Amino acid sequence: MAAENHHPPYKKSKEVSAMIKQGFISDPFLSPPSRPQLSLSRTPLSPSHSVSPPPSYAPDQTSPARTTRQSPTLFEMMSEEQTRESKQSIEARIKLNERVSRVLETAPFRDPGKWGGFGDVRLAISGSDGFRVSMDVHRKVLADRSRFFAEKLRPRSTAAEVEVSVEICDCDDVEVYVETVVLIYCDDLKRRLVGEEVSKVLGLLKVSAAIMFDAGIMACLEYLEAVPWSEEEEEKVISQLAQLQLHDRVSEVLKRVSAEPSTSSRADDIFLNLLTGVLQAKDDKARREMKGLISRLLREDALSNHGSHINRLDVSKDTLYHLCHGCLSSLVLCLSEATCVAESRQDRGVLMSEIAREADNMQWIVDILIHKKMGDEFVKLWADQNELANLHSKIPTMYRHEISRITAQLCIAIGRGHILVPKDIRYSLLSTWLEALYDDFGWMRRASRSIDKKLVEDGLGQTILTLPLPQQQAILINWFNRFLNKGDDCPNIQKAFEVWWRRAFIRQYVAESQLQITVCDYPN
């Protein structure tokens, strides 16, 4: 904010004053810097440094009548609340007073020998709450290191120099302003900032920018570039630097959160390498952990950008389907080996592990496709796997049941409306894989704790009910007979059976044309 200064001719005995307002909002990370308000008066000074004491406080005296009541009145409750708030405010003022006093005790401007005498400028900093700090500082130091003070403390006449009183008013963070003044006197700014919190350095940066203290700005930026940030601090740093508009000077700080265009263009290659690395991992525990991590990050990204039309860096559909085809090829190979190699020559545990691993990889990629709303093409791809389904039927259930989880996964998504595919593809999916799902259901339920039996049954039933009624009938009557013989080893989809029954026999709906044509004979 620009200063308003009126400078009529004056002599040594006269006063010249100018007011420049320094405004800080309550959150020092959300507002751009504004110039300090200074009140200057040229008067002799004696060395002093003072901090305004906190206001006195009289403790509440509880009346005898108050102690005999069973419950307080509304007025008494409001009074007690105000008393608590007042106590908290006073405690905060006392702590602030103590912190500022500690800063002033070691302030370098209190050493007259180093600076050629006591300060010739009395600098007072006051907050909007009445808290006030006064200190004697040196015109030459402030003017040499702050372009703002250099302008405002410039001699206005040829008369002999006189001491000047400066007041910076209405600060919401007096402590940070005092510490910035101390920072102006320091020769090794980097060392001074070591060990400070990021939020404190952001406050110092804001004040340094406001008074155009270039060395302080650079020291704060170098500190922010070098120290680690928490996620909360990262948001504050980015917001503060954007508000201060320091332009090219912040580029080094922001490199850790910004990507070069060349990196952005290769993002899909990076995703492909990461996903491929997970699929080919040798350590199963690490593979499970990284699968969970990447899935969570992809979902967080989708949620944070929900409804946004901004282009985001993301794994592409082509990359995901490329990985799907790779998993399918591996499954076909594993099942082919299982049908060709005699059991006596093959370690059953190794064979089961290989098939389960490839099936689990496929489930992971399909899960990503479903959450990214890209699973429709995979339903057709899976429905067309006649060779894989044929191999699946030729090997023992203990080896193959993990593959049927892929079918269950798709039925759950279709039953919830998360995948939309034509009825021909839905019917083809069940025609290819439903028998395998029936056969493997018992093993799936017993061998895997992560299988939700009811979820699979509901998804399968809802998928069947999306088909035309004749197809529902054929599938559900087949299920009825199978369930009678297998019991719990067969999915229990009797809810779907009930819906089909009511549709077929109770609430019959016959589609009829609403167009009626009347034929009349007219006499010739």
Side-chain angles (χ1 to χ4, degrees):
M1 182 179 296
E4 294 183 5
N5 292 325
H6 302 281
H7 308 291
Y10 61 92
K11 297 181 180 179
K12 183 175 181 180
S13 60
K14 294 184 178 181
E15 289 188 7
V16 178
S17 65
M19 295 297 292
I20 302 152
K21 186 171 183 180
Q22 167 65 51
F24 289 93
I25 64 174
S26 57
D27 186 346
F29 309 109
L30 298 178
S31 64
S34 54
R35 298 293 176 239
Q37 177 175 355
L38 281 69
S39 175
L40 290 82
S41 62
R42 301 174 184 274
T43 55
L45 297 177
S46 59
S48 68
H49 304 276
S50 64
V51 180
S52 62
S56 60
Y57 169 70
D60 179 38
Q61 300 295 329
T62 305
S63 64
R66 169 69 181 83
T67 59
T68 60
R69 291 182 184 154
Q70 296 298 322
S71 60
T73 65
L74 177 60
F75 175 77
E76 289 170 336
M77 292 172 64
M78 294 174 64
S79 298
E80 289 178 357
E81 180 66 24
Q82 291 176 352
T83 299
R84 284 194 296 269
E85 293 178 355
S86 178
K87 288 180 179 178
Q88 293 173 356
S89 176
I90 291 173
E91 289 174 358
R93 175 71 69 88
I94 292 173
K95 291 179 180 179
L96 174 60
N97 197 358
E98 292 173 350
R99 292 197 303 271
V100 172
S101 296
R102 285 196 294 269
V103 172
L104 291 177
E105 284 174 1
T106 58
F109 49 73
R110 301 193 66 175
D111 181 5
K114 183 175 181 180
W115 309 105
F118 290 104
D120 54 356
V121 175
R122 173 160 294 176
L123 176 61
I125 303 172
S126 60
S128 56
D129 58 354
F131 185 79
R132 190 173 186 272
V133 178
S134 179
M135 46 194 166
D136 293 342
V137 292
H138 302 79
R139 176 204 302 268
K140 183 175 180 0
V141 176
L142 266 61
D144 286 348
R145 302 190 179 183
S146 163
R147 288 181 286 125
F148 179 78
F149 282 118
E151 170 63 23
K152 303 311 172 186
L153 297 177
R154 187 173 56 193
R156 305 299 180 182
S157 73
T158 57
E161 287 298 314
V162 295
E163 294 163 324
V164 179
S165 176
V166 178
E167 182 164 6
I168 302 171
C169 309
D170 297 330
C171 297
D172 282 346
D173 200 337
V174 173
E175 180 183 2
V176 172
Y177 215 109
V178 172
E179 293 196 17
T180 306
V181 173
V182 171
L183 203 63
I184 290 177
Y185 277 79
C186 293
D187 295 324
D188 192 346
L189 301 182
K190 182 177 179 180
R191 182 178 179 183
R192 177 79 182 192
L193 294 178
V194 170
E196 294 287 0
E197 296 181 357
V198 170
S199 58
K200 172 61 72 65
V201 175
L202 286 172
L204 294 172
L205 174 62
K206 180 175 180 179
V207 176
S208 297
I211 63 175
M212 293 181 279
F213 172 32
D214 291 333
I217 294 172
M218 294 308 300
C220 290
L221 291 177
E222 289 175 0
Y223 166 93
L224 294 172
E225 191 279 328
V227 298
W229 308 332
S230 68
E231 291 189 17
E232 182 181 357
E233 289 170 342
E234 180 174 318
E235 294 294 329
K236 291 181 179 180
V237 169
I238 295 171
S239 175
Q240 176 80 338
L241 295 184
Q243 292 290 336
L244 292 179
Q245 298 180 352
L246 296 174
H247 306 296
D248 294 340
R249 288 190 283 184
V250 304
S251 60
E252 291 298 321
V253 180
L254 296 179
K255 278 185 177 180
R256 72 172 70 174
V257 296
S258 62
E260 297 293 335
S262 58
T263 303
S264 302
S265 63
R266 296 186 294 105
D268 202 53
D269 292 338
I270 295 174
F271 287 126
L272 176 60
N273 291 334
L274 291 174
L275 296 173
T276 302
V278 172
L279 297 178
Q280 298 176 353
K282 295 181 179 179
D283 188 285
D284 285 340
K285 182 177 182 294
R287 183 173 64 94
R288 288 192 298 269
E289 289 184 5
M290 291 302 100
K291 278 172 54 183
L293 172 64
I294 291 179
S295 295
R296 177 169 55 81
L297 291 175
L298 289 174
R299 291 181 189 182
E300 285 179 1
D301 181 59
L303 289 173
S304 64
N305 291 277
H306 181 69
S308 173
H309 298 287
I310 301 174
N311 291 329
R312 296 178 286 107
L313 295 179
D314 205 353
V315 57
S316 70
K317 183 177 181 180
D318 290 341
T319 293
L320 292 174
Y321 276 96
H322 171 76
L323 296 173
C324 281
H325 285 285
C327 290
L328 282 173
S329 298
S330 297
L331 275 176
V332 170
L333 181 61
C334 286
L335 266 64
S336 297
E337 291 177 354
T339 58
C340 296
V341 178
E343 187 172 324
S344 58
R345 297 172 54 193
Q346 179 72 22
D347 185 342
R348 295 173 63 184
V350 173
L351 182 59
M352 290 174 64
S353 177
E354 290 178 356
I355 296 175
R357 175 190 175 91
E358 294 302 330
D360 184 69
N361 284 341
M362 179 65 81
Q363 292 165 29
W364 181 51
I365 299 299
V366 171
D367 185 64
I368 295 174
L369 286 170
I370 291 171
H371 281 278
K372 295 178 69 59
K373 303 178 182 179
M374 298 177 180
D376 51 338
E377 292 184 19
F378 183 80
V379 178
K380 185 177 186 308
L381 180 64
W382 190 244
D384 291 340
Q385 295 303 309
N386 294 309
E387 179 186 2
L388 184 61
N390 184 49
L391 291 170
H392 180 277
S393 66
K394 295 179 179 179
I395 62 176
T397 305
M398 61 167 43
Y399 295 163
R400 72 189 193 195
H401 67 273
E402 289 288 344
I403 298 174
S404 289
R405 291 186 61 178
I406 300 170
T407 305
Q409 188 179 14
L410 295 177
C411 287
I412 292 171
I414 293 172
R416 288 178 165 182
H418 294 167
I419 295 180
L420 305 178
V421 291
K423 60 180 180 297
D424 293 343
I425 296 177
R426 300 196 299 272
Y427 184 69
S428 178
L429 171 69
L430 296 178
S431 298
T432 304
W433 290 106
L434 184 56
E435 288 295 319
L437 179 59
Y438 285 159
D439 291 338
D440 295 347
F441 186 76
W443 267 92
M444 287 170 52
R445 184 170 56 84
R446 289 189 293 268
S448 178
R449 295 179 180 178
S450 62
I451 286 289
D452 188 329
K453 176 177 178 287
K454 188 177 185 304
L455 198 62
V456 175
E457 292 170 342
D458 289 345
L460 176 58
Q462 290 295 337
T463 301
I464 293 171
L465 292 175
T466 64
L467 300 174
L469 198 61
Q471 294 176 352
Q472 295 178 40
Q473 176 177 313
I475 293 173
L476 288 168
I477 289 178
N478 175 272
W479 164 83
F480 185 82
N481 295 322
R482 179 182 289 268
F483 184 74
L484 289 174
N485 295 314
K486 296 291 185 179
D488 288 342
D489 282 345
C490 180
N492 188 342
I493 53 174
Q494 59 179 297
K495 288 184 179 179
F497 186 86
E498 292 176 20
V499 173
W500 162 75
W501 179 281
R502 295 188 185 99
R503 287 175 177 176
F505 303 116
I506 299 175
R507 296 193 302 266
Q508 293 188 14
Y509 171 76
V510 179
E512 296 179 351
S513 173
Q514 300 300 314
L515 178 63
Q516 297 181 0
I517 301 175
T518 302
V519 179
C520 300
D521 293 332
Y522 291 94
N524 293 332

